[in-house]
Coordinates of all heavy atoms in Angstrom, one line a residue:
M1112 N -90.6 102.7 143.4 CA -91.1 101.6 144.3 C -90.1 100.5 144.1 O -89.7 99.9 145.1 CB -92.4 101.2 144.1 CG -92.9 100.2 145.1 SD -94.6 100.0 144.9 CE -94.9 98.6 145.9
M1113 N -89.7 100.2 142.9 CA -88.8 99.1 142.7 C -87.4 99.3 143.3 O -86.8 98.4 143.8 CB -88.8 98.8 141.2 CG -88.1 97.5 140.9 SD -88.8 96.0 141.6 CE -89.6 95.4 140.3
D1114 N -86.9 100.5 143.2 CA -85.7 100.9 143.8 C -85.6 100.7 145.3 O -84.7 100.2 145.8 CB -85.2 102.3 143.4 CG -84.9 102.5 141.9 OD1 -84.5 101.4 141.3 OD2 -85.0 103.6 141.4
Q1115 N -86.7 101.1 145.9 CA -86.8 100.9 147.4 C -86.8 99.4 147.8 O -86.2 99.0 148.7 CB -88.0 101.6 147.9 CG -88.2 101.5 149.5 CD -89.4 102.1 149.9 OE1 -90.3 102.5 149.2 NE2 -89.6 102.1 151.2
K1116 N -87.4 98.5 147.0 CA -87.5 97.1 147.2 C -86.1 96.5 147.0 O -85.7 95.7 147.9 CB -88.5 96.5 146.2 CG -88.9 95.2 146.6 CD -89.9 94.7 145.6 CE -90.8 93.6 146.3 NZ -91.9 93.0 145.4
K1117 N -85.3 96.9 145.9 CA -84.0 96.4 145.9 C -83.1 96.9 147.0 O -82.1 96.1 147.4 CB -83.5 97.0 144.5 CG -84.0 96.3 143.3 CD -83.4 96.8 142.0 CE -84.1 96.1 140.8 NZ -83.4 96.5 139.6
Q1118 N -83.3 98.1 147.6 CA -82.5 98.5 148.7 C -82.9 97.9 150.0 O -82.1 97.7 150.8 CB -82.6 100.1 148.8 CG -81.9 100.8 147.7 CD -82.1 102.2 147.7 OE1 -83.0 102.7 148.6 NE2 -81.5 103.1 147.0
T1119 N -84.1 97.5 150.1 CA -84.6 96.9 151.4 C -84.2 95.4 151.4 O -83.9 95.0 152.5 CB -86.1 97.0 151.4 OG1 -86.5 98.4 151.3 CG2 -86.7 96.4 152.7
R1120 N -84.1 94.7 150.4 CA -83.9 93.3 150.4 C -82.6 92.9 151.1 O -82.5 92.1 152.0 CB -83.9 92.7 149.1 CG -83.7 91.1 149.1 CD -84.0 90.4 147.8 NE -85.4 90.3 147.9 CZ -86.1 90.0 146.9 NH1 -85.6 90.1 145.6 NH2 -87.4 89.9 146.9
P1121 N -81.4 93.6 150.8 CA -80.2 93.3 151.4 C -80.2 93.6 152.9 O -79.6 92.9 153.7 CB -79.1 94.2 150.8 CG -79.8 94.4 149.4 CD -81.1 94.5 149.6
S1122 N -81.0 94.7 153.2 CA -81.1 95.1 154.6 C -81.9 94.0 155.5 O -81.6 93.8 156.6 CB -81.9 96.4 154.6 OG -82.0 96.8 156.0
V1123 N -83.0 93.5 154.8 CA -83.7 92.4 155.5 C -82.9 91.2 155.6 O -83.0 90.5 156.8 CB -85.1 92.2 154.6 CG1 -85.8 90.9 155.2 CG2 -85.9 93.3 154.6
I1124 N -82.2 90.8 154.6 CA -81.3 89.6 154.8 C -80.3 89.8 155.8 O -80.0 89.0 156.5 CB -80.7 89.3 153.3 CG1 -81.8 88.9 152.4 CG2 -79.7 88.2 153.5 CD1 -81.4 88.7 150.9
T1125 N -79.5 90.9 155.7 CA -78.5 91.2 156.8 C -79.1 91.2 158.2 O -78.6 90.6 159.1 CB -77.9 92.5 156.6 OG1 -77.3 92.6 155.2 CG2 -76.8 92.8 157.5
G1126 N -80.3 91.8 158.4 CA -81.0 91.8 159.7 C -81.4 90.5 160.1 O -81.1 90.1 161.2
F1127 N -81.9 89.7 159.2 CA -82.4 88.3 159.6 C -81.2 87.5 159.9 O -81.2 86.7 160.9 CB -83.1 87.7 158.4 CG -83.6 86.4 158.6 CD1 -84.7 86.1 159.5 CD2 -82.9 85.3 158.2 CE1 -85.0 84.8 159.8 CE2 -83.3 84.0 158.5 CZ -84.4 83.7 159.2
V1128 N -80.1 87.6 159.2 CA -78.9 86.7 159.5 C -78.3 87.1 160.9 O -78.0 86.2 161.7 CB -77.8 86.9 158.3 CG1 -76.4 86.3 158.8 CG2 -78.3 86.2 157.1
L1129 N -78.2 88.4 161.1 CA -77.7 88.8 162.4 C -78.6 88.4 163.6 O -78.1 88.0 164.7 CB -77.5 90.4 162.4 CG -76.4 90.9 161.6 CD1 -76.3 92.4 161.5 CD2 -75.0 90.4 162.1
L1130 N -79.9 88.5 163.4 CA -80.8 88.1 164.4 C -80.7 86.6 164.7 O -80.8 86.1 165.8 CB -82.3 88.4 164.2 CG -82.6 89.9 164.2 CD1 -84.0 90.3 163.6 CD2 -82.5 90.4 165.6
A1131 N -80.6 85.8 163.6 CA -80.5 84.4 163.6 C -79.2 83.9 164.4 O -79.2 83.1 165.3 CB -80.5 83.7 162.3
L1132 N -78.1 84.8 164.1 CA -76.8 84.4 164.8 C -76.9 84.8 166.3 O -76.4 84.0 167.1 CB -75.7 85.2 164.2 CG -75.1 84.7 162.9 CD1 -74.1 85.7 162.3 CD2 -74.5 83.4 163.1
A1133 N -77.6 85.8 166.6 CA -77.8 86.1 168.0 C -78.5 85.1 168.8 O -78.2 84.8 169.9 CB -78.5 87.5 168.1
F1134 N -79.6 84.5 168.1 CA -80.4 83.4 168.8 C -79.5 82.1 168.9 O -79.6 81.4 169.9 CB -81.7 83.2 168.2 CG -82.6 84.3 168.5 CD1 -83.0 85.2 167.5 CD2 -83.2 84.4 169.8 CE1 -83.9 86.2 167.9 CE2 -84.0 85.4 170.1 CZ -84.4 86.4 169.2
L1135 N -78.7 81.9 167.8 CA -77.9 80.7 167.8 C -76.8 80.7 168.8 O -76.4 79.7 169.3 CB -77.3 80.5 166.4 CG -78.2 79.9 165.4 CD1 -77.5 79.8 164.0 CD2 -78.9 78.6 165.7
F1136 N -76.3 82.0 169.2 CA -75.2 82.0 170.2 C -75.7 81.6 171.5 O -75.0 81.2 172.4 CB -74.7 83.5 170.2 CG -73.5 83.8 169.3 CD1 -73.4 83.3 168.0 CD2 -72.4 84.4 169.9 CE1 -72.3 83.6 167.3 CE2 -71.3 84.6 169.2 CZ -71.3 84.2 167.8
K1137 N -77.1 81.8 171.8 CA -77.6 81.4 173.0 C -78.4 80.2 173.1 O -79.0 79.7 174.1 CB -78.5 82.7 173.6 CG -77.8 83.9 173.8 CD -76.6 83.7 174.9 CE -77.2 83.4 176.3 NZ -76.1 83.1 177.2
W1138 N -78.4 79.4 172.0 CA -79.2 78.2 171.9 C -78.5 77.0 172.7 O -77.4 76.7 172.4 CB -79.4 77.9 170.4 CG -80.2 76.6 170.1 CD1 -81.4 76.3 170.7 CD2 -79.9 75.7 169.2 NE1 -81.8 75.1 170.1 CE2 -80.9 74.7 169.2 CE3 -78.8 75.5 168.3 CZ2 -81.0 73.6 168.4 CZ3 -78.8 74.4 167.5 CH2 -79.8 73.5 167.6
E1139 N -79.3 76.4 173.5 CA -78.9 75.3 174.2 C -79.5 74.0 173.6 O -80.7 73.8 173.7 CB -79.3 75.3 175.7 CG -78.6 76.5 176.4 CD -79.1 76.6 177.9 OE1 -79.9 75.7 178.3 OE2 -78.8 77.6 178.5
F1140 N -78.6 73.2 172.9 CA -79.1 72.1 172.2 C -79.3 70.8 173.1 O -80.4 70.6 173.5 CB -78.3 71.8 171.0 CG -78.7 70.7 170.1 CD1 -79.9 70.7 169.6 CD2 -77.9 69.6 169.8 CE1 -80.4 69.7 168.8 CE2 -78.3 68.6 169.1 CZ -79.5 68.6 168.5
I1141 N -78.3 70.2 173.3 CA -78.3 69.0 174.1 C -77.7 69.2 175.5 O -78.3 68.7 176.6 CB -77.5 67.8 173.5 CG1 -78.2 67.4 172.2 CG2 -77.5 66.6 174.4 CD1 -77.3 66.4 171.3
Y1142 N -76.7 70.1 175.6 CA -76.0 70.3 176.8 C -76.8 71.5 177.6 O -77.7 72.1 177.2 CB -74.6 70.8 176.5 CG -74.0 69.9 175.5 CD1 -73.9 70.3 174.2 CD2 -73.6 68.5 175.8 CE1 -73.3 69.5 173.2 CE2 -73.1 67.7 175.0 CZ -72.9 68.2 173.5 OH -72.4 67.3 172.7
N1143 N -76.4 71.7 178.8 CA -76.9 72.7 179.7 C -76.2 74.1 179.5 O -76.3 75.0 180.4 CB -76.8 72.3 181.2 CG -77.7 71.1 181.5 OD1 -78.7 70.9 180.8 ND2 -77.4 70.4 182.5
E1144 N -75.5 74.1 178.4 CA -74.8 75.5 178.2 C -75.0 75.8 176.6 O -75.2 74.8 175.8 CB -73.3 75.4 178.5 CG -72.5 74.3 177.8 CD -71.1 74.3 178.3 OE1 -70.6 75.1 179.0 OE2 -70.4 73.3 177.8
P1145 N -74.9 77.0 176.2 CA -75.1 77.3 174.8 C -74.1 76.6 173.9 O -72.9 76.3 174.4 CB -74.8 78.8 174.7 CG -75.1 79.3 176.1 CD -74.8 78.2 177.1
V1146 N -74.4 76.4 172.7 CA -73.6 75.6 171.8 C -72.3 76.3 171.5 O -71.3 75.8 171.4 CB -74.4 75.4 170.4 CG1 -73.5 74.8 169.3 CG2 -75.7 74.6 170.6
V1147 N -72.4 77.7 171.4 CA -71.2 78.5 171.2 C -70.2 78.4 172.3 O -69.0 78.4 172.1 CB -71.5 79.9 170.9 CG1 -70.3 80.8 170.6 CG2 -72.3 79.9 169.7
D1148 N -70.7 78.3 173.6 CA -69.8 78.0 174.7 C -69.0 76.7 174.6 O -67.8 76.6 174.9 CB -70.6 78.0 176.0 CG -71.0 79.4 176.5 OD1 -70.9 80.3 175.7 OD2 -71.6 79.4 177.6
R1149 N -69.8 75.6 174.1 CA -69.1 74.3 173.8 C -68.0 74.4 172.7 O -66.9 74.0 172.9 CB -70.1 73.3 173.4 CG -71.2 73.0 174.5 CD -70.6 72.2 175.6 NE -70.4 70.8 175.1 CZ -70.1 69.8 176.0 NH1 -69.9 70.1 177.3 NH2 -69.9 68.6 175.6
L1150 N -68.4 75.2 171.6 CA -67.3 75.4 170.6 C -66.1 76.1 171.0 O -65.0 75.8 170.6 CB -68.0 76.1 169.4 CG -69.1 75.3 168.7 CD1 -69.9 76.2 167.6 CD2 -68.6 74.0 168.0
L1151 N -66.4 77.1 171.8 CA -65.3 77.9 172.4 C -64.4 77.1 173.2 O -63.1 77.1 173.2 CB -65.7 79.2 173.2 CG -66.3 80.3 172.2 CD1 -66.9 81.4 173.2 CD2 -65.3 80.9 171.3
G1152 N -65.0 76.1 174.1 CA -64.3 75.3 175.0 C -63.5 74.3 174.1 O -62.3 74.0 174.5
L1153 N -64.0 73.9 173.0 CA -63.2 72.9 172.1 C -62.0 73.5 171.6 O -61.0 72.8 171.3 CB -64.1 72.5 171.0 CG -65.2 71.4 171.4 CD1 -66.1 71.2 170.2 CD2 -64.7 70.2 171.9
I1154 N -62.0 74.8 171.3 CA -60.8 75.5 170.8 C -59.9 76.1 171.9 O -58.9 76.7 171.6 CB -61.1 76.6 169.7 CG1 -61.9 77.7 170.3 CG2 -61.8 75.9 168.5 CD1 -62.1 78.8 169.3
G1155 N -60.3 75.9 173.1 CA -59.5 76.3 174.2 C -59.7 77.8 174.7 O -59.0 78.4 175.4
V1156 N -60.9 78.4 174.3 CA -61.2 79.8 174.8 C -62.3 79.7 175.8 O -63.3 79.0 175.5 CB -61.5 80.6 173.5 CG1 -62.0 82.0 174.0 CG2 -60.4 80.6 172.5
S1157 N -62.2 80.4 176.9 CA -63.3 80.4 177.9 C -64.3 81.4 177.4 O -64.0 82.4 177.0 CB -62.6 80.8 179.2 OG -63.7 80.9 180.1
A1158 N -65.5 81.0 177.7 CA -66.7 81.8 177.3 C -66.9 82.9 178.5 O -67.7 83.7 178.3 CB -67.9 81.0 177.1
W1159 N -66.3 82.6 179.6 CA -66.5 83.6 180.8 C -65.1 84.3 181.0 O -64.0 83.7 180.8 CB -66.8 82.8 182.0 CG -68.2 82.1 181.9 CD1 -68.5 81.0 181.3 CD2 -69.5 82.8 182.3 NE1 -69.8 80.7 181.4 CE2 -70.5 81.8 182.0 CE3 -69.8 84.0 182.9 CZ2 -71.8 82.1 182.3 CZ3 -71.1 84.2 183.2 CH2 -72.1 83.2 182.9
S1160 N -65.2 85.5 181.6 CA -63.9 86.3 181.8 C -63.2 85.8 183.0 O -61.9 86.0 183.1 CB -64.3 87.7 182.1 OG -65.2 87.9 183.2
N1161 N -63.8 85.0 184.0 CA -63.1 84.5 185.2 C -63.6 83.1 185.5 O -64.2 82.9 186.4 CB -63.4 85.5 186.3 CG -62.6 85.1 187.6 OD1 -61.5 84.6 187.5 ND2 -63.0 85.6 188.7
G1162 N -63.1 82.1 184.6 CA -63.5 80.8 184.9 C -64.9 80.5 184.5 O -65.3 80.6 183.3
N1163 N -65.8 80.3 185.5 CA -67.2 80.2 185.3 C -68.0 81.3 185.8 O -69.3 81.2 186.0 CB -67.7 78.9 185.9 CG -67.2 77.6 185.2 OD1 -67.0 77.7 184.0 ND2 -67.1 76.5 185.9
T1164 N -67.3 82.5 186.1 CA -68.0 83.6 186.6 C -67.5 84.9 185.8 O -66.7 84.8 185.0 CB -67.7 83.8 188.1 OG1 -66.4 84.1 188.2 CG2 -68.3 82.7 188.9
G1165 N -68.1 86.0 186.0 CA -67.6 87.2 185.4 C -68.5 87.5 184.2 O -69.7 87.2 184.2
F1166 N -67.9 88.2 183.2 CA -68.5 88.5 182.0 C -68.7 87.3 181.1 O -67.8 86.5 180.9 CB -67.8 89.6 181.2 CG -67.9 90.9 181.9 CD1 -66.7 91.5 182.3 CD2 -69.0 91.6 182.0 CE1 -66.7 92.7 183.0 CE2 -69.0 92.9 182.6 CZ -67.8 93.4 183.0
H1167 N -69.9 87.0 180.6 CA -70.2 85.9 179.7 C -70.1 86.6 178.2 O -71.0 87.2 177.8 CB -71.6 85.4 179.9 CG -71.9 84.2 179.2 ND1 -73.0 83.9 178.7 CD2 -71.1 83.2 178.9 CE1 -73.1 82.7 178.1 NE2 -71.9 82.2 178.2
F1168 N -68.9 86.2 177.7 CA -68.6 86.8 176.3 C -69.7 86.4 175.3 O -70.0 87.2 174.4 CB -67.2 86.4 175.8 CG -66.2 86.9 176.8 CD1 -65.3 86.1 177.3 CD2 -66.1 88.3 177.1 CE1 -64.2 86.7 178.1 CE2 -65.1 88.8 177.9 CZ -64.2 88.0 178.5
T1169 N -70.2 85.2 175.4 CA -71.2 84.7 174.3 C -72.4 85.6 174.5 O -73.1 85.9 173.5 CB -71.5 83.3 174.6 OG1 -70.3 82.5 174.6 CG2 -72.5 82.7 173.5
G1170 N -72.9 85.9 175.8 CA -74.1 86.6 176.0 C -73.9 88.1 175.5 O -74.8 88.7 174.9
I1171 N -72.7 88.7 175.7 CA -72.4 90.0 175.3 C -72.4 90.1 173.7 O -73.0 91.0 173.1 CB -71.1 90.5 175.8 CG1 -71.2 90.6 177.4 CG2 -70.6 91.8 175.2 CD1 -69.8 90.8 178.0
I1172 N -71.8 89.1 173.2 CA -71.7 89.1 171.6 C -73.1 88.9 171.1 O -73.6 89.5 170.1 CB -70.8 88.0 171.1 CG1 -69.4 88.4 171.5 CG2 -71.0 87.9 169.6 CD1 -68.3 87.4 171.2
S1173 N -73.9 88.1 171.8 CA -75.4 87.8 171.3 C -76.2 89.1 171.3 O -77.0 89.4 170.5 CB -76.0 86.7 172.2 OG -77.3 86.5 171.8
V1174 N -76.0 89.9 172.5 CA -76.8 91.0 172.7 C -76.3 92.1 171.5 O -77.2 92.8 170.9 CB -76.7 91.7 174.0 CG1 -77.2 93.0 174.1 CG2 -77.3 90.8 175.0
I1175 N -75.1 92.2 171.3 CA -74.6 93.1 170.3 C -75.1 92.8 168.9 O -75.6 93.6 168.2 CB -73.0 93.2 170.3 CG1 -72.5 93.8 171.6 CG2 -72.5 93.8 169.0 CD1 -71.1 93.7 171.8
L1176 N -75.1 91.4 168.5 CA -75.7 91.0 167.2 C -77.2 91.3 167.2 O -77.7 91.6 166.1 CB -75.4 89.6 167.1 CG -74.0 89.1 166.7 CD1 -73.9 87.6 166.7 CD2 -73.6 89.7 165.4
L1177 N -77.9 91.2 168.3 CA -79.3 91.4 168.3 C -79.6 92.8 168.1 O -80.4 93.2 167.3 CB -79.9 90.9 169.7 CG -81.4 91.2 169.8 CD1 -82.2 90.2 169.0 CD2 -81.8 91.0 171.3
I1178 N -78.9 93.8 168.7 CA -79.1 95.2 168.5 C -78.7 95.5 167.0 O -79.5 96.3 166.4 CB -78.2 96.0 169.5 CG1 -78.8 95.8 170.9 CG2 -78.1 97.5 169.1 CD1 -77.9 96.4 172.0
I1179 N -77.6 95.1 166.5 CA -77.2 95.4 165.2 C -78.2 94.9 164.1 O -78.7 95.5 163.2 CB -75.9 95.0 164.9 CG1 -74.8 95.7 165.7 CG2 -75.5 95.1 163.3 CD1 -73.4 95.1 165.6
G1180 N -78.7 93.6 164.4 CA -79.7 93.0 163.5 C -81.0 93.8 163.5 O -81.7 94.0 162.5
L1181 N -81.5 94.3 164.7 CA -82.6 95.2 164.8 C -82.4 96.5 164.1 O -83.4 97.1 163.5 CB -83.0 95.3 166.2 CG -83.6 94.1 166.9 CD1 -83.8 94.4 168.4 CD2 -84.9 93.6 166.2
F1182 N -81.3 97.0 164.1 CA -80.9 98.2 163.4 C -81.1 97.9 161.9 O -81.6 99.0 161.2 CB -79.5 98.7 163.8 CG -79.1 100.0 163.0 CD1 -79.4 101.2 163.3 CD2 -78.1 99.8 161.9 CE1 -79.2 102.3 162.7 CE2 -77.8 100.9 161.2 CZ -78.2 102.2 161.6
F1183 N -80.7 96.9 161.4 CA -80.8 96.7 160.0 C -82.2 96.3 159.5 O -82.6 96.3 158.4 CB -79.9 95.5 159.5 CG -78.5 96.0 159.2 CD1 -77.5 95.8 160.2 CD2 -78.1 96.6 158.1 CE1 -76.1 96.2 159.9 CE2 -77.0 97.1 157.8 CZ -75.9 96.9 158.7
W1184 N -83.0 95.8 160.4 CA -84.4 95.4 160.2 C -85.2 96.6 159.6 O -85.3 97.7 160.3 CB -85.1 94.8 161.3 CG -86.2 93.9 161.0 CD1 -87.5 94.3 161.0 CD2 -86.1 92.6 160.5 NE1 -88.3 93.2 160.7 CE2 -87.5 92.2 160.4 CE3 -85.2 91.7 160.3 CZ2 -87.8 90.9 159.9 CZ3 -85.5 90.5 159.9 CH2 -86.8 90.1 159.6
P1185 N -85.7 96.6 158.4 CA -86.4 97.7 158.0 C -87.7 98.1 158.7 O -88.4 97.1 159.1 CB -86.7 97.4 156.5 CG -86.7 96.0 156.4 CD -85.7 95.5 157.5
N1186 N -88.2 99.3 158.7 CA -89.4 99.7 159.3 C -90.5 99.5 158.4 O -91.6 99.1 158.9 CB -89.4 101.2 159.8 CG -88.3 101.4 160.8 OD1 -88.0 100.5 161.6 ND2 -87.7 102.6 160.9
G1187 N -90.4 99.7 157.1 CA -91.6 99.7 156.2 C -91.5 98.4 155.3 O -91.2 98.6 154.2
T1188 N -91.7 97.3 155.8 CA -91.6 96.1 154.9 C -93.0 95.6 154.5 O -93.1 94.6 153.8 CB -91.0 95.0 155.7 OG1 -91.7 94.6 156.9 CG2 -89.6 95.2 156.1
A1189 N -94.0 96.4 154.8 CA -95.5 96.0 154.3 C -95.5 96.2 152.9 O -95.1 97.1 152.3 CB -96.5 96.8 155.1
V1190 N -96.2 95.2 152.1 CA -96.5 95.2 150.8 C -97.7 96.1 150.5 O -98.7 96.0 151.1 CB -96.8 93.8 150.2 CG1 -97.2 93.9 148.7 CG2 -95.5 92.9 150.5
K1191 N -97.6 97.0 149.5 CA -98.6 98.0 149.3 C -99.3 97.7 148.0 O -98.7 97.1 147.0 CB -98.0 99.4 149.2 CG -97.5 99.8 150.6 CD -97.0 101.3 150.4 CE -96.5 101.7 151.8 NZ -96.0 103.0 151.9

């Protein structure tokens, strides 16, 4: 049982970090756009594929992080 707990802990931490990043990518703090869009604009990279339309790269990356984070989230985390 202890070995399973040691293997589960990094998985839970990885899953939690990826899920937190996915939500932070879409978080609108003060502005009317996600914080990551503002950061990308500061370094000169557009968050959209065609100006303000097209593919929203921040949204795509957020969904990918969400899926990967849910993949790492363990199924049996209940304490016995």
